[in-house]
Amino acid sequence: MAYFGPVPPPIPWDSRFQWTQPRRPSQPAVAESISNLMFKNAVYYPNYRVYRGETPASMNYNCISHVFYAFAHLSPDGGIFLSDEWADAQMEVDGSRAGCLGSFTRLKRQHQHLQLIISIGGGGASQNFASVAASAATRDNFGRSAKGLVDASGFDGIDIDWEYPNDVEQGRNFLALLAAIRLHLPDDRYLLTAALPAGQWALQNIDLYKAQDYLDFINLMAYDFAGPWSPTSGHHAQLFPGSAGEPSGSTAVEYVISTGFRAQKILLGVPVYGRSFLGATGPGQAYSGTAGEDGTFEYKDLPRPGTEEIIDRRVVAAFCTGGDGGFVTYDNPETVKVKAGYCREKRLGGLFYWTGTANAPPGPRSLVSEGFKALHNA
């Protein structure tokens, strides 16, 4: 297991990255100018997708500015380790014998604007964040380990996916963790981002105004507003609320901005999957169960066969009804274009997508490419 603890052991696959250029403040002028002018259009790449044949090279980097590589995991002492060393650093991927990380470093050489960020944690592996963030010693270990991982992989920074600080004390510790990371990953050389829920119930635990001193941007997870945990069916990624009190992307953005957090540091999340409610034909209805994995369908499999795709323009959400999914709520190119326009209007930093590999092939159904074009008014 490759481990990036406080005093990392020799990393046997480190030499495979020696051909990559070290990260420096003065990057090539072309890459810098592109990065500075473009809205961010970022995707998450989960490492397990390589086993489905969806390798890093399968995505279209002409319209992707950042890739978040998901996930590295966190040990109780603050050390960071690869969650799947074979997929991450050993198997042959896209002609590289250094796994997905090796493939991505090659892609970075081919696309000079591309920035690569390793995401740490995730919904299923965040259990150690609270205890690590509570101790100065383990916070420092985390920062040292993060630097070891980033420098070994040739990536540009890290993403904190702690889901999530669940009280004010953990929110304070979250800020202390960011401060400790910045001691080892200074902001003139490395990116530091965080994925955060799009709900005031979670965001209120963090002093976002202070957090922006450490973060380059946040990925606001503006989805999963409804699902199998909900008493009735509902849109899971609507931009605007259908009624007072309903969660929505715009409500989350407005709350974050109200704290003094700069709009240009917010990336609005787009789900590249739909949520299913069997037995329902629209939001606000009783439903009988779920379909697919945890009631989800990948976007590239939507709309479902034999159904019609419909757009609710009032809340900005797409859906289809019937077939094997009942009421399935998701984003489509038209809703993503509206969300991109909202980003432009509110001067946000851009969009991100979970996940890039669930997207449709390049063309008019691609959420990532249509979002990129709409962000840049192309």
Side-chain angles (χ1 to χ4, degrees), residues 31-50:
E32 284 295 329
S33 63
I34 292 175
S35 298
N36 289 337
L37 291 175
M38 290 199 310
F39 283 94
K40 298 171 182 66
N41 202 51
V43 302
Y44 276 84
Y45 179 87
N47 57 0
Y48 66 85
R49 301 302 290 237
V50 72

Side-chain angles (χ1 to χ4, degrees), residues 307-329:
T307 67
E308 177 186 2
E309 186 169 76
I310 302 169
I311 299 170
D312 185 333
R313 291 178 171 81
R314 183 172 65 93
V315 301
V316 186
F319 65 96
C320 61
T321 60
D324 58 356
F327 169 62
V328 184
T329 167

Side-chain angles (χ1 to χ4, degrees), residues 271-330:
V272 194
Y273 62 94
R275 286 207 170 272
S276 166
F277 299 87
L278 283 173
T281 59
Q285 299 178 9
Y287 61 97
S288 57
T290 59
E293 183 181 356
D294 191 28
T296 63
F297 291 101
E298 293 194 343
Y299 167 72
K300 58 188 174 185
D301 297 325
L302 295 171
R304 299 305 295 155
T307 67
E308 177 186 2
E309 186 169 76
I310 302 169
I311 299 170
D312 185 333
R313 291 178 171 81
R314 183 172 65 93
V315 301
V316 186
F319 65 96
C320 61
T321 60
D324 58 356
F327 169 62
V328 184
T329 167
Y330 55 100

Side-chain angles (χ1 to χ4, degrees), residues 223-245:
Y223 41 78
D224 289 345
F225 297 137
W229 56 86
S230 305
T232 60
S233 61
H235 287 298
H236 93 100
Q238 58 190 7
L239 179 60
F240 300 114
S243 59

